[in-house]
């Protein structure tokens, strides 16, 4: 077999379908985010990023940077090994305690990323629990899907946020396999559509059918709840979730993942998860920065109010101009284009003509026919940036002859007046 020829053919097919992913090299500058420099082969220019997960701008927060610098000066650059072999530092211990407190759990465990946390924990639980059945929302993240797949547990996919379908599947397994061990795996905020799970109802079903609840809060931590503990904290449900998984790479502005649960569950995962045991631990500087970020966010409720204000202003502006977006209760603003090539063309025009960076999102991240942009407003996006973005989108829509829609907002005012609208917080 000619391996190179096969790989080239597959890549060519990917490009023909408009699904080939291109990376944009950015030069982030501390203190200027969401501005960054984009360097092409011919020139370098300043652009505005509208698709980052650094929702609260913590990647450039002064206290975070200071904590990281101090940790490097005191502990050096790397951790030195796995958690079991010299890679557990005082920074790791402090951060795990802080994460447990944030989610009102007994213990927490750090992983190198949110993806690794999901994959490793679900794989471990599904493999080690005898006759384990995992009930997974059909819109769950790829990391959860991979973890369930690797676990070799019995898998049951229920329709997205569909409580009737979930209960039917739980009841069937409980009735026909009375010794089955059950886990319900779902997310709080779904990252592509921005909708929110019916957590309280899922918890009631879990109690009724004696199932563990596994909640992915990666797009909720830092942004919701009195202390930033996520949607579960906001809804007063922390005590009803058995395992909460989160990330340090979004609202907290750094890198890493974690799970929080009871002492026994965390110790079980610590003792059996290959993804935890056999990998070098996070560097002390990253851990110290995350600790500083979490403490800052926990004690800064106004930052969450400001973030929601930015979100509502953007949605309002989009609604007035007819740009088609999914209006949801969360901070994620998906703009549906519906065709891969057009999505790429729109992204290229935004970057080249308007100096705005939005990454096109295509299959397999989203189903074919639902290709989109996912706008992620942050606390550091200004009113002017919102106006510039919406004006640019309006020009792109007109140039590419993309369809517009009429949202429920009926009034029509000049775009410049959006800045004068009352704050929505």
């Amino acid at each position: 077999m000619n391996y190179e020829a096969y790989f080239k053919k597959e890549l060519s097919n990917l490009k023909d379908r408009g699904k080939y992913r291109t990376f944009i090299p950015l030069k982030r500058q501390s203190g200027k985010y969401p501005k960054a420099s984009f360097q092409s082969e011919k020139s370098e220019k300043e652009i505005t990023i509208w698709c980052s997960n650094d929702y609260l701008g913590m990647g450039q927060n002064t206290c975070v940077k200071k904590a990281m610098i101090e940790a490097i000066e005191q502990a050096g650059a790397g951790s030195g090994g796995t958690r079991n072999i010299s890679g557990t530092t005082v920074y790791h211990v402090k951060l795990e305690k802080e994460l447990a407190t944030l989610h009102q759990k007994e213990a927490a465990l750090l992983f190198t990323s949110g993806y690794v946390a999901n994959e490793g924990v679900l794989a471990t639980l599904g493999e080690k629990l005898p006759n384990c059945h995992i009930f997974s929302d059909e819109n769950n993240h790829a990391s959860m899907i991979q973890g369930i797949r690797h676990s070799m547990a019995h898998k049951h996919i229920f329709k997205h946020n569909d409580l009737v379908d979930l209960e039917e599947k739980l009841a069937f397994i409980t009735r026909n396999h009375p010794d089955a061990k059950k886990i319900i795996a779902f997310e709080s905020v779904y990252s592509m559509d921005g909708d929110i799970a019916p957590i309280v109802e899922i918890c009631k079903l879990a109690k009724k059918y004696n199932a563990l609840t596994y909640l992915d809060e990666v797009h909720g931590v830092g942004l919701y709840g009195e202390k930033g503990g996520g949607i579960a904290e906001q809804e007063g449900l922390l005590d009803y979730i058995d395992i909460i998984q989160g990330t340090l790479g979004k609202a907290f502005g750094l890198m890493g993942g974690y799970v929080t649960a009871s002492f026994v569950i965390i110790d079980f995962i610590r003792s059996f998860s290959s993804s935890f045991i056999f990998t070098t631990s996070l560097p002390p500087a990253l851990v110290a920065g995350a600790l500083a970020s979490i403490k800052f966010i926990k004690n800064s409720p106004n930052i969450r109010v400001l973030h929601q204000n930015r979100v509502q202003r953007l949605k309002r502006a989009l609604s007035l101009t007819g740009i088609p977006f999914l209006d949801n209760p969360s901070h994620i603003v998906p703009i549906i284009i519906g065709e891969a090539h057009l999505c790429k063309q729109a992204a290229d025009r935004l970057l080249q003509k308007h100096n705005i960076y939005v990454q096109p999102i295509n299959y397999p991240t989203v189903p074919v026919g639902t290709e989109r942009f996912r706008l992620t407003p942050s606390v550091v996006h200004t009113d002017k940036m919102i106006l510039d973005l919406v004006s640019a989108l309006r020009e792109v829509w007109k140039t590419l002859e993309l369809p517009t829609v009429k949202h429920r907002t009926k009034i029509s005012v000049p775009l410049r007046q959006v800045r004068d609208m009352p704050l929505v917080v």
Side-chain angles (χ1 to χ4, degrees):
M1 178 178 180
N2 187 330
Y3 294 100
E4 289 287 323
Y6 173 79
F7 296 145
K8 288 180 180 179
K9 180 181 178 182
E10 289 299 303
L11 288 170
S12 179
N13 290 337
L14 199 65
K15 293 176 181 178
D16 290 341
R17 298 195 301 270
K19 299 171 185 176
Y20 183 76
R21 299 169 189 243
T22 56
F23 298 154
I24 305 297
L26 302 174
K27 186 188 295 182
R28 285 171 59 118
Q29 300 174 19
S30 181
K32 296 188 70 177
Y33 172 76
K35 297 288 186 180
S37 294
F38 165 59
Q39 190 168 359
S40 63
E41 294 180 358
K42 298 180 180 180
S43 64
E44 182 174 323
K45 63 180 181 179
E46 186 177 75
I47 63 172
T48 304
I49 302 172
W50 272 99
C51 54
S52 170
N53 290 326
D54 191 359
Y55 297 121
L56 303 179
M58 296 305 294
Q60 62 183 13
N61 183 280
T62 301
C63 73
V64 173
K65 294 190 295 182
K66 181 181 178 181
M68 295 182 74
I69 291 169
E70 290 178 352
I72 287 179
E73 291 176 343
Q74 295 175 11
S79 67
T82 65
R83 289 292 298 274
N84 185 50
I85 305 176
S86 81
T88 296
T89 70
V90 292
Y91 301 99
H92 293 80
V93 174
K94 288 180 180 178
L95 178 55
E96 286 174 340
K97 288 182 179 179
E98 189 68 31
L99 288 166
T101 301
L102 176 66
H103 294 289
Q104 298 177 26
K105 297 298 181 188
E106 293 178 342
L109 194 66
L110 284 171
F111 286 79
T112 52
S113 73
Y115 188 106
V116 173
N118 267 337
E119 185 178 34
V121 174
L122 286 169
T124 300
L125 294 174
E127 176 188 1
K128 293 296 181 180
L129 280 171
N131 193 22
C132 183
H133 293 250
I134 301 180
F135 300 81
S136 175
D137 188 289
E138 66 178 344
N139 283 7
N140 276 343
H141 190 264
S143 57
M144 302 173 78
I145 295 170
Q146 285 296 95
I148 296 168
R149 183 178 295 155
H150 292 164
S151 75
M152 303 303 289
H154 302 282
K155 177 176 63 177
H156 309 276
I157 301 174
F158 62 92
K159 296 175 184 177
H160 179 52
N161 283 347
D162 190 324
L163 297 168
V164 173
D165 190 40
L166 173 59
E167 181 163 21
E168 286 178 354
K169 288 176 168 57
L170 285 166
F172 178 83
I173 295 302
T174 301
R175 185 168 58 250
N176 292 280
H177 303 274
D179 63 337
K181 314 305 181 292
K182 298 178 283 290
I183 300 172
I184 305 173
F186 61 107
E187 302 181 32
S188 60
V189 180
Y190 285 87
S191 62
M192 287 300 116
D193 288 345
D195 54 339
I196 295 176
I199 302 177
V200 62
E201 290 84 0
I202 291 176
C203 288
K204 289 178 180 179
L205 290 178
K207 182 177 181 181
K208 180 177 180 179
Y209 293 98
N210 190 27
L212 287 173
T213 46
Y214 182 99
L215 176 63
D216 177 316
E217 275 271 29
V218 297
H219 285 278
V221 290
L223 304 180
Y224 301 93
E226 181 182 357
K227 299 293 185 181
I231 298 293
E233 183 196 15
Q234 178 176 277
E235 298 187 6
L237 298 171
L238 291 174
D239 290 341
Y240 300 93
I241 305 294
D242 296 296
I243 303 170
I244 296 177
Q245 180 269 345
T247 182
L248 306 173
K250 292 181 171 59
F252 297 132
L254 288 121
M255 174 188 174
Y258 64 89
V259 289
T260 63
S262 68
F263 282 123
V264 172
I265 290 176
I266 293 300
D267 197 25
F268 184 87
I269 296 167
R270 183 189 70 86
S271 300
F272 290 105
S273 175
S274 296
S275 298
F276 172 81
I277 296 170
F278 297 107
T279 190
T280 301
S281 65
L282 290 170
L286 272 175
V287 179
L291 180 61
S293 180
I294 293 168
K295 288 182 176 180
F296 180 92
I297 289 173
K298 282 176 65 177
N299 295 301
S300 305
N302 287 341
I303 201 171
R304 282 178 282 285
V305 175
L306 177 59
H307 182 241
Q308 285 300 315
N309 168 254
R310 299 293 87 193
V311 172
Q312 295 305 322
R313 278 188 177 275
L314 174 59
K315 288 182 177 181
R316 175 72 166 177
L318 288 171
S319 183
L320 291 172
T321 55
I323 302 296
F325 70 96
L326 298 182
D327 196 2
N328 55 55
S330 80
H331 59 282
I332 292 170
V333 186
I335 293 184
I336 306 300
I337 295 177
E339 203 281 323
H341 290 94
L342 281 175
C343 200
K344 179 67 166 60
Q345 290 176 37
D348 289 344
R349 187 167 183 85
L350 282 172
L351 184 63
Q352 295 163 9
K353 181 176 176 59
H354 300 283
N355 301 328
I356 290 173
Y357 170 44
V358 181
Q359 184 68 21
I361 298 179
N362 300 324
Y363 178 86
T365 307
V366 295
V368 173
T370 68
E371 290 82 0
R372 67 193 65 186
F373 294 151
R374 183 183 64 177
L375 303 180
T376 50
S378 73
V379 296
V380 287
H381 281 100
T382 65
D383 282 352
K384 183 180 184 305
M385 291 176 185
I386 292 174
L387 290 168
D388 289 345
L389 170 67
V390 176
S391 294
L393 286 169
R394 187 164 56 181
E395 187 277 331
V396 170
W397 249 246
K398 181 178 180 180
T399 301
L400 298 182
E401 298 182 344
L402 297 171
T404 58
V405 296
K406 289 184 178 180
H407 288 282
R408 65 171 181 266
T409 302
K410 299 296 183 182
I411 64 173
S412 177
V413 298
L415 187 58
R416 64 179 180 275
Q417 292 185 18
V418 173
R419 65 164 61 91
D420 299 323
M421 291 177 182
L423 301 186
V424 181
V425 296

